[in-house]
Amino acid sequence: MKPLRATALDAAAFAPFGEVIEAGAATRQFPINQGSTVRYHDLARIDPGEDGHAIVSIFRAQPRALPFEVSMLERHPRGSQAFMPLSGRPYLVVVAPPGERPATENLRVFLARADQGVNYAAGVWHHPLLALQAESDFLVIDRAGPGANCDEITLDEAVYIDLG
């Protein structure tokens, strides 16, 4: 199996796959509620696709032990899927570009901080949640509506993630 090395999640590196959701200095922000709150504005473009509507869920992910074998990916061709961690723990994000079956050399792994979420663009291949350390909750905004919206594949060659 080939090793995959995780890199820190940042907006520029993740842009081909979607958006990083974070309250950072580069984010458009302004005070609201008579100055008692700062709004970090327009962090992700939620795309429910044609005939769909956005829904909000909580996913509870079990922690994964490292090294972790990546042998499958999924994609949601009809809409985006946003994840925001709620449990204060880092997690891993495995992605590949949209399109037909991805080659293992096109996989990317990012280590997301506990204060960073991701919004996968429609059609982006990704691994299901990869919580680290302990059971972790994620706020998820994705699509509900008619039509199948989850494709899964088994990779031709498994790879593994080890943070070293």
Side-chain angles (χ1 to χ4, degrees):
M1 287 189 295
K2 294 180 179 181
L4 284 176
R5 299 288 177 224
T7 58
L9 180 65
D10 70 61
F14 194 74
F17 311 105
E19 299 141 327
V20 174
I21 302 169
E22 64 184 328
T27 305
R28 184 174 169 218
Q29 54 188 285
F30 48 89
I32 61 171
N33 300 333
Q34 298 173 333
S36 67
T37 304
V38 174
R39 177 179 178 140
Y40 293 87
H41 186 70
D42 199 12
L43 300 177
R45 300 294 172 141
I46 304 302
D47 175 11
E50 188 176 332
D51 298 328
H53 62 277
I55 59 172
V56 175
S57 305
I58 292 178
F59 289 12
R60 182 159 291 151
Q62 298 304 308
R64 307 296 184 111
L66 296 175
F68 178 78
E69 180 179 306
V70 176
S71 59
M72 65 81 67
L73 295 174
E74 67 180 31
R75 69 177 173 184
H76 304 281
R78 295 181 178 268
S80 65
Q81 191 175 44
F83 291 84
M84 193 68 200
L86 299 175
S87 298
R89 295 182 192 92
Y91 62 102
L92 292 171
V93 175
V94 178
V95 290
E100 295 307 312
R101 179 179 208 82
T104 54
E105 59 267 14
N106 292 331
L107 270 64
R108 297 280 312 269
V109 181
F110 296 97
L111 178 59
R113 298 186 319 259
D115 65 339
Q116 292 178 304
V118 294
N119 184 39
Y120 300 121
V124 165
W125 291 102
H126 60 278
H127 194 278
L129 282 170
L130 291 170
L132 300 171
Q133 302 172 347
E135 183 177 82
S136 298
D137 288 349
F138 292 81
L139 183 73
V140 180
I141 304 170
D142 61 353
R143 177 192 189 275
N149 190 34
C150 186
D151 301 328
E152 291 185 2
I153 60 161
T154 299
L155 295 172
D156 293 333
E157 180 182 11
V159 294
Y160 70 92
I161 302 168
D162 192 351
L163 299 181

